[in-house]
Amino acid sequence: MNISSSESSPEISSDADLISSHQPELETLLPVTDATIQRVREGVAAASDRSIRHTIETTLNGLSAITQEHWEPRVNAKIRRWVVRSLIHSLFSVKVENIENIPPTPAILAANHLHHFDPLVLLSEIPTQPHYYILGDARTLYNKWWKRWILGFADGVIPLERIWGEEQAVIAAAKAGRDDLQELAQVIKDTVNPGGDIQTIRRIDRIVAAILARGDGLMIFPEGRLGTAEGHLHPFKRGTVIYALRSGVPIVPISLIGTHDLFLRKKLTIRVGKPLYFPPTTRPKRQEIDSALEALQKAIGALLPTDYQEPTGIKLLQNFLNRMLL
């Protein structure tokens, strides 16, 4: 497939769309604050961490075996959910609405994204069948030892390597003349795998196709970045609907409510919408992709609260939990 196909062509370049779906938007660079710089330093450290590198490589090698029709051993699904749920319920109060909307057959769960902890919140409550895989940022998912342990035990991650929006912002600021960021920007360039190369994207594409074809499911956050506030959505990236159109599986819209700011015993809500079905096609056209993407964003938006108010009063372990679960 020619990845340089023009936007006006009736046949779109799905490789190019998948590449763009894994990258932060250049035109919406984040402000460079002290928190941004700290996040970048943590990200650079994660990029060079041998344990994280080993986990990414081991996971991708195991997933690649699926494309060759090999079945990797994995933990019992009920045990997986019990372990993750025990962690979540020890910290928060979780309410689930309309869980019956998730079909017992392969599907793509698409949710808004408010906190790096969101994948574990979903894993704690979704059905045990089919077996769901999280498609997400490798350094965010594996940046702490306990995450690597839980997710390794849960056996359900498709790790993506990519440059973060914060890192792009630091590089841009350095180019614009911020002398204090020159060294950090160079470290990012030397250390971080920016992702987006066609070989890696096609490898992930084959893994996703094999997972859905064998009867498992996928969990994706189509915004491709964290939301800035409860009830707010960033524009969606196309990868989610491309996977659905190619595989013929439905997309289940889900809203997460309350995860933007965490504290002990906070009430979190998972609200599940009706599955969205689209005509399958091996070569989706841009119009089909854009139409499906619009329907998905509208469906998730309809599940979000319009008047969310953060609880007031004492918020136990607020700073600790937001940092620990980052």
Side-chain angles (χ1 to χ4, degrees):
M1 184 178 293
N2 180 5
I3 66 169
S4 61
S5 300
S6 69
E7 292 285 331
S8 60
S9 171
E11 293 290 349
I12 66 96
S13 166
S14 293
D15 285 331
D17 280 287
L18 285 171
I19 289 172
S20 68
S21 75
H22 296 153
Q23 300 300 323
E25 297 292 340
L26 291 173
E27 65 269 21
T28 56
L29 289 174
L30 300 171
V32 180
T33 63
D34 289 343
T36 301
I37 294 172
Q38 177 60 30
R39 175 69 173 156
V40 168
R41 294 189 186 282
E42 293 171 356
V44 168
S48 58
D49 187 292
R50 290 184 178 181
S51 297
I52 295 176
R53 298 295 327 154
H54 175 74
T55 302
I56 294 171
E57 292 169 10
T58 301
T59 302
L60 285 176
N61 287 336
L63 290 169
S64 293
I66 299 174
T67 67
Q68 302 168 13
E69 298 184 355
H70 295 296
W71 291 72
E72 85 286 9
R74 61 192 185 195
V75 70
N76 179 277
K78 292 183 179 180
I79 296 176
R80 172 175 97 155
R81 187 172 66 175
W82 179 82
V83 170
V84 178
R85 180 178 284 182
S86 295
L87 169 66
I88 302 300
H89 286 205
S90 68
L91 299 171
F92 309 107
S93 172
V94 183
K95 178 183 179 183
V96 184
E97 299 178 0
N98 306 318
I99 194 70
E100 68 277 2
N101 284 337
I102 299 179
T105 51
I108 296 175
L109 309 184
N112 62 310
H113 201 10
L114 293 166
H115 199 284
H116 296 302
F117 196 48
D118 291 343
L120 291 180
V121 174
L122 283 177
L123 276 182
S124 72
E125 302 298 334
I126 60 175
T128 56
Q129 295 297 328
H131 188 94
Y132 280 95
Y133 287 80
I134 304 164
L135 181 66
D137 181 80
R139 287 184 288 157
T140 299
L141 290 168
Y142 293 145
N143 64 342
K144 292 182 171 64
W145 69 265
W146 63 268
K147 286 186 183 179
R148 294 195 293 275
W149 183 86
I150 288 180
L151 292 172
F153 171 81
D155 185 34
V157 171
I158 307 172
L160 296 175
E161 293 196 81
R162 57 188 178 183
I163 191 168
W164 291 352
E166 293 93 338
E167 291 163 340
Q168 287 186 321
V170 166
I171 291 173
K175 287 181 178 179
R178 284 281 301 268
D179 291 339
D180 59 316
L181 296 177
Q182 298 295 330
E183 182 178 352
L184 182 56
Q186 189 58 51
V187 172
I188 295 169
K189 294 175 184 178
D190 293 341
T191 307
V192 173
N193 181 350
D197 62 281
I198 194 64
Q199 291 80 13
T200 300
I201 296 303
R202 285 177 175 169
R203 184 185 190 188
I204 297 296
D205 196 17
R206 288 192 297 269
I207 289 170
V208 168
I211 284 172
L212 295 174
R214 77 174 189 175
D216 290 327
L218 198 64
M219 183 191 304
I220 303 182
F221 299 92
E223 291 171 276
R225 57 178 291 190
L226 292 181
T228 54
E230 297 280 350
H232 172 78
L233 291 174
H234 293 295
F236 285 5
K237 295 180 177 295
R238 296 185 178 94
T240 305
V241 298
I242 291 175
Y243 291 140
L245 290 169
R246 285 179 174 177
S247 64
V249 305
I251 303 177
V252 181
I254 296 177
S255 73
L256 291 167
I257 303 167
T259 64
H260 183 65
D261 182 38
L262 301 175
F263 53 86
L264 188 64
R265 304 315 305 162
K266 186 179 185 183
K267 179 181 177 181
L268 311 179
T269 300
I270 300 172
R271 186 172 293 160
V272 184
K274 296 285 187 181
L276 304 175
Y277 292 87
F278 306 101
T281 173
T282 56
R283 294 178 62 85
K285 298 178 181 179
R286 175 56 57 83
Q287 184 178 2
E288 293 171 315
I289 293 174
D290 289 346
S291 176
L293 198 65
E294 181 181 357
L296 175 59
Q297 183 141 359
K298 182 178 179 180
I300 293 179
L303 297 171
L304 294 173
T306 58
D307 56 352
Y308 180 84
Q309 297 291 326
E310 281 288 349
T312 58
I314 298 175
K315 299 181 178 181
L316 295 175
L317 302 180
Q318 181 183 31
N319 292 333
F320 172 75
L321 287 175
N322 280 303
R323 287 298 304 168
M324 182 187 77
L325 303 176
L326 186 64

